[in-house]
Amino acid sequence: MYHLFLIIASFIILSSEISLSLVVVQGFQTTSHQRPNIAKEIPCWDTKNKATSRSSSSSSSSCLYSSQQQSIETPAKGFGKVHKKPTTTTTTTSHSPQTIDPMTMKAEDVKRLLLDLLPSMTGTPEEFRLVETYVNALEEKYVPPQTLDFLNLAMAGEWQFLFTTNQLGRPSPFLRMTELVQNVQVDGLNGMVVNQAIWNLAQQDDEVISPTSLTFDVHGIFQSKISYNINQGARMTMKEDHDLTIQLGKGSKVPKDPQGLMGLIHRAMPTEMFDSSNLAMDTTYLDTDIRIVRFTGSRHEGVRNIFMRKGVMEINPKL
């Protein structure tokens, strides 16, 4: 009888250990399944059409929400008052659809999603809403430099223009703008912002020419230069010494209508970069790779520009 009791007790203990092991293994599998995968390689772009690759998040965030949860109103940030919906944001890219909440992600992962989206944009409202969501998330997570020296160190250098929330003019088929770069030259509380655009022009004759048969034999660099001073924390207040110049490239023909050429460049560029006089810029996000600024002033209040440090990475538009 005593031996029978020991056998039954051993069986019960063994059964409990098996059950406990199954629960532990099942729980680990569930947790592992929810971890995001950010190691997938995707193509990148820039205006020089040089293909390369970088790492980007291609899976969902580890913090997923049920569609039955209620939305939470958050204070005004970034583009203005936003309505944070824990019911998730869905993005569709060249990869599988993603269900994410950028506010719960690391800034590095949100930045990768933003840099993945910008080159493949086709101009849909959903894409612009995604840009707004990503920018708001980055601005929410941004910790600004604590000293002027650190701010200047991070800000100085050449930045390739990527995106503006301002509405651009209608570009002309006779002008191609191949690159737009902003050079920030720092000097303590003062500095200079130089915007440079590389352009190519096909001059029109009296006869009508098909856009497919144009010859872009006039080319050069347009430059917009303006000085600034830093006040009110890190705000860059632009002065009125605005200077515009056009320099023809080597071997270029002379433009027949210089004033008309200036007008075409003005239509192709963001107006806040063509003429920044009497504006101010707040740096709302800044790291080693990208920089986001917010304009304030009577003409461009709330407009955002997104830049990528030139030479850090190359991205090619997805066709």
Side-chain angles (χ1 to χ4, degrees):
M1 187 70 175
Y2 176 73
H3 293 291
L4 179 60
F5 175 76
L6 287 178
I7 292 173
I8 294 174
S10 300
F11 179 77
I12 293 174
I13 293 173
L14 181 60
S15 300
S16 300
E17 291 178 349
I18 293 173
S19 176
L20 179 59
S21 299
L22 289 175
V23 171
V24 172
V25 171
Q26 186 179 13
F28 176 80
Q29 291 173 343
T30 301
T31 303
S32 175
H33 178 70
Q34 293 178 353
R35 293 177 181 173
N37 175 18
I38 59 173
K40 187 172 182 180
E41 293 290 326
I42 61 172
C44 310
W45 67 274
D46 79 351
T47 53
K48 297 182 180 180
N49 296 324
K50 297 180 181 179
T52 183
S53 64
R54 57 181 166 78
S55 298
S56 175
S57 176
S58 60
S59 181
S60 63
S61 168
S62 58
C63 184
L64 303 180
Y65 290 92
S66 167
S67 60
Q68 296 178 352
Q69 289 182 283
Q70 297 180 352
S71 62
I72 301 173
E73 190 173 288
T74 60
K77 279 287 182 182
F79 286 81
K81 194 171 184 180
V82 297
H83 213 59
K84 180 182 174 184
K85 295 184 178 181
T87 53
T88 72
T89 300
T90 301
T91 73
T92 303
T93 66
S94 58
H95 314 292
S96 59
Q98 303 176 16
T99 305
I100 59 175
D101 179 14
M103 290 294 182
T104 67
M105 301 175 67
K106 294 180 180 179
E108 187 69 20
D109 295 336
V110 179
K111 181 179 71 174
R112 288 172 180 170
L113 288 173
L114 178 63
L115 291 178
D116 186 28
L117 171 64
L118 290 178
S120 60
M121 289 183 66
T122 58
T124 66
E126 178 61 25
E127 290 172 336
F128 284 102
R129 282 194 294 268
L130 279 175
V131 172
E132 178 180 338
T133 299
Y134 295 153
V135 169
N136 282 340
L138 288 173
E139 292 178 341
E140 177 73 23
K141 301 171 189 301
Y142 177 56
V143 179
Q146 298 302 305
T147 67
L148 176 64
D149 289 340
F150 279 117
L151 174 64
N152 283 339
L153 181 65
M155 215 171 34
E158 290 186 313
W159 297 88
Q160 183 175 330
F161 172 79
L162 292 181
F163 182 83
T164 180
T165 60
N166 197 10
Q167 195 165 10
L168 296 176
R170 185 177 179 181
S172 169
F174 298 96
L175 181 79
R176 292 175 180 172
M177 192 168 292
T178 58
E179 188 174 55
L180 182 55
V181 174
Q182 183 173 92
N183 187 1
V184 181
Q185 304 170 2
V186 301
D187 183 17
L189 289 171
N190 301 298
M192 183 83 66
V193 173
V194 182
N195 298 316
Q196 286 190 335
I198 299 177
W199 52 267
N200 296 277
L201 174 71
Q203 302 198 86
Q204 295 177 258
D205 295 324
D206 294 335
E207 60 184 44
V208 179
I209 303 176
S210 170
T212 58
S213 61
L214 295 176
T215 302
F216 291 84
D217 50 7
V218 183
H219 54 87
I221 297 176
F222 166 81
Q223 183 173 275
S224 169
K225 183 187 298 185
I226 191 168
S227 59
Y228 70 86
N229 68 284
I230 294 180
N231 54 29
Q232 299 183 35
R235 174 167 290 181
M236 301 165 63
T237 301
M238 303 299 169
K239 297 182 180 180
E240 298 181 2
D241 55 344
H242 191 222
D243 182 43
L244 303 178
T245 59
I246 290 181
Q247 179 181 352
L248 295 180
K250 186 177 180 180
S252 170
K253 291 186 177 181
V254 177
K256 299 177 181 178
D257 183 7
Q259 292 298 324
L261 171 60
M262 185 69 77
L264 293 178
I265 294 174
H266 181 248
R267 285 166 55 186
M269 282 183 66
T271 54
E272 68 274 12
M273 293 185 68
F274 184 90
D275 181 5
S276 303
S277 56
N278 297 316
L279 294 176
M281 286 193 303
D282 293 321
T283 302
T284 57
Y285 184 83
L286 177 64
D287 66 13
T288 57
D289 298 328
I290 70 170
R291 169 172 156 256
I292 302 175
V293 298
R294 178 187 185 276
F295 285 89
T296 182
S298 58
R299 289 183 293 136
H300 300 295
E301 179 66 36
V303 168
R304 299 295 198 287
N305 280 177
I306 303 176
F307 299 89
M308 177 181 68
R309 186 173 289 280
K310 188 176 181 181
V312 169
M313 62 181 71
E314 296 176 343
I315 49 182
N316 293 316
K318 300 172 185 177
L319 302 176

